[in-house]
Amino acid sequence: MSSVGNLKEIGSLFFRLGLVAFGGPAAHIAIVHKEVVVKRKWMDESHFLDLMGATALIPGPNSTEMVLHCGHHRGGLRGLVLAGVSFILPACILSGLLAYLYTEAVKIPNFSDYMIGVKPVVLILIFQALKKLAPKAIKNYSLAFVTLITFALCFIGVNEFISLLVGGSIGLILGLYKGDTRVKSFPLLSIFYIFTKIGAILFGSGYVLITYLQKELVENRGWLTNSEIADAIAIGQFTPGPVLSTSTFIGYLLGNSTGALVATVGIFLPSFVFVYFLNPYIPKLRDSLKFSLLLDGVNAASMGLMAFALYPLGRISFLHPGALIIFLVTLILTWKVPKLSTVYLVSISILLGSILTFFNIGQQWP
């Protein structure tokens, strides 16, 4: 097939996946594997696994970086750019639209009361992500210690990047020691800087993004509230594609459509750069013992960051007794129907919150 034909195939495939890829990074990578390795045979299993390992060595959204690697493998630099834009664009457009509707909806009297069911569901989503990722990241007692140290550092107010760096370094040192072989208006330049910085240092699952957003936008600058961050993360679950498309939503809250564009470009740009420069060195990196030990430490530390995100969200999630009711209902649903789509889960929580608010149930604690 000609290079033009390759590019058309790349664009078509990843745009379609960007429209239907719900379920988070692990699900996205499974879908990409099925399409690229099993169905189209662009590469073999071993090379796909090498690419997966490489994405974990660099910051940024893992599933998006896998898409970028596959695009580069099939179509070079043009394939990398086309695959990334095709995969990211649908989610970002939908997130921007939802952000516009959200800013209009807050004008509705008592709108926040109708949204009481959203924040508890965010807690469940983080719990689910931790349940899936923690067993892979925390493979021994040393890495469990790294997770706890990172959580503790965040709890006492240490910068999240410093916490992650310390956790990763401790993991490396312990591994070597043991001989282990395993719509407001804010400056656009500031918005771009914040989201580019996050995109350049974000290790682990996209859900770790919550911790960075809370630190940068709530604690450091006071531009948003914890409640607004929770709403953005939850409503962002309506969209397929990368979890980091939530940045489009938050960018809109900070600077309307221009802010949404700036935040989106900022958070995804580092991934394009990292993948482009890393791709030729993947065969060498996979054989590096020290890199693998450092990676284990960073992955375990990211679990600590994700767990810490539960703390500030939990404090604002149960301000109304109705929120506790919705939390219990959705928790039972996820237990009984573990494969229930995130879209359905968030939709059910909003519906329950609206019903309880309409009938004035559970609005105040006794």
Side-chain angles (χ1 to χ4, degrees):
M1 183 181 292
S2 68
S3 60
V4 174
N6 285 348
L7 292 176
K8 287 183 179 179
E9 185 180 20
I10 291 169
S12 173
L13 170 62
F14 289 113
F15 185 78
R16 179 168 58 83
L17 293 186
L19 289 171
V20 301
F22 289 96
H28 299 168
I29 291 175
I31 294 171
V32 171
H33 173 268
K34 182 178 180 180
E35 292 289 341
V36 170
V37 178
V38 178
K39 187 175 179 180
R40 289 172 172 78
K41 302 187 185 304
W42 288 0
M43 64 186 72
D44 58 26
E45 294 279 358
S46 61
H47 188 62
F48 189 84
L49 290 174
D50 285 347
L51 295 179
M52 285 186 61
T55 61
L57 289 171
I58 58 177
N62 289 349
S63 59
T64 302
E65 288 170 349
M66 278 300 295
V67 167
L68 296 174
H69 275 300
C70 291
H72 185 276
H73 179 82
R74 186 65 170 172
L77 177 58
R78 289 187 296 175
L80 179 151
V81 174
L82 182 60
V85 172
S86 298
F87 184 65
I88 294 167
L89 192 60
C92 293
I93 291 175
L94 289 172
S95 293
L97 177 61
L98 287 170
Y100 169 75
L101 296 175
Y102 177 84
T103 57
E104 292 300 309
V106 294
K107 300 174 184 177
I108 300 173
N110 301 320
F111 171 75
S112 59
D113 292 337
Y114 287 91
M115 296 295 289
I116 61 172
V118 171
K119 298 172 186 64
V121 172
V122 175
L123 297 177
I124 293 177
L125 294 174
I126 298 175
F127 272 124
Q128 288 179 326
L130 280 169
K131 183 179 178 181
K132 291 179 181 178
L133 296 171
K136 297 179 181 178
I138 308 173
K139 296 177 285 188
N140 52 50
Y141 289 113
S142 296
L143 294 176
F145 175 72
V146 170
T147 301
L148 292 174
I149 286 293
T150 307
F151 179 89
L153 289 173
C154 290
F155 189 81
I156 63 176
V158 176
N159 176 274
E160 69 282 351
F161 176 65
I162 298 299
S163 300
L164 190 68
L165 184 62
V166 170
S169 300
I170 292 174
L172 171 61
I173 293 170
L174 291 177
L176 290 174
Y177 176 76
K178 293 174 61 179
D180 194 345
T181 58
R182 310 189 46 104
V183 186
K184 302 170 182 180
S185 182
F186 299 95
L188 293 177
L189 188 60
S190 296
I191 295 173
F192 181 77
Y193 166 73
I194 291 168
F195 282 92
T196 303
K197 182 175 75 170
I198 292 175
I201 64 176
L202 179 67
F203 279 93
S205 164
Y207 289 107
V208 180
L209 172 68
I210 300 170
T211 306
Y212 288 89
L213 293 174
Q214 288 171 336
K215 188 70 175 179
E216 290 289 341
L217 301 178
V218 179
E219 297 178 22
N220 290 352
R221 291 172 172 81
W223 288 0
L224 295 176
T225 64
N226 274 320
S227 178
E228 288 171 319
I229 294 292
D231 288 342
I233 295 294
I235 294 177
Q237 296 302 314
F238 277 110
T239 63
V243 175
L244 265 65
S245 63
T246 300
S247 61
T248 307
F249 188 103
I250 294 178
Y252 188 94
L253 299 186
L254 296 174
N256 294 318
S257 56
T258 307
L261 177 62
V262 167
T264 303
V265 172
I267 203 161
F268 284 108
L269 181 60
S271 294
F272 283 78
V273 176
F274 290 147
V275 169
Y276 176 71
F277 284 104
L278 174 65
N279 194 273
Y281 299 99
I282 290 175
K284 296 180 181 179
L285 291 176
R286 73 186 295 266
D287 295 327
S288 170
L289 171 61
K290 290 184 178 180
F291 263 108
S292 66
L293 291 175
L294 178 62
L295 173 60
D296 285 345
V298 168
N299 285 342
S302 70
M303 294 299 99
L305 289 183
M306 191 185 300
F308 178 73
L310 295 169
Y311 171 66
L313 288 174
R315 289 192 302 174
I316 64 167
S317 293
F318 303 112
L319 297 178
H320 303 290
L324 179 59
I325 295 171
I326 295 168
F327 175 80
L328 294 174
V329 170
T330 51
L331 187 62
I332 292 171
L333 276 175
T334 56
W335 177 48
K336 292 291 186 181
V337 190
K339 294 185 178 180
L340 184 66
S341 168
T342 300
V343 175
Y344 289 124
L345 195 64
V346 175
S347 299
I348 290 169
S349 73
I350 292 176
L351 177 61
L352 289 174
S354 299
I355 292 172
L356 292 177
T357 299
F358 182 80
F359 290 103
N360 198 29
I361 300 173
Q363 295 301 301
Q364 292 183 344
W365 288 100

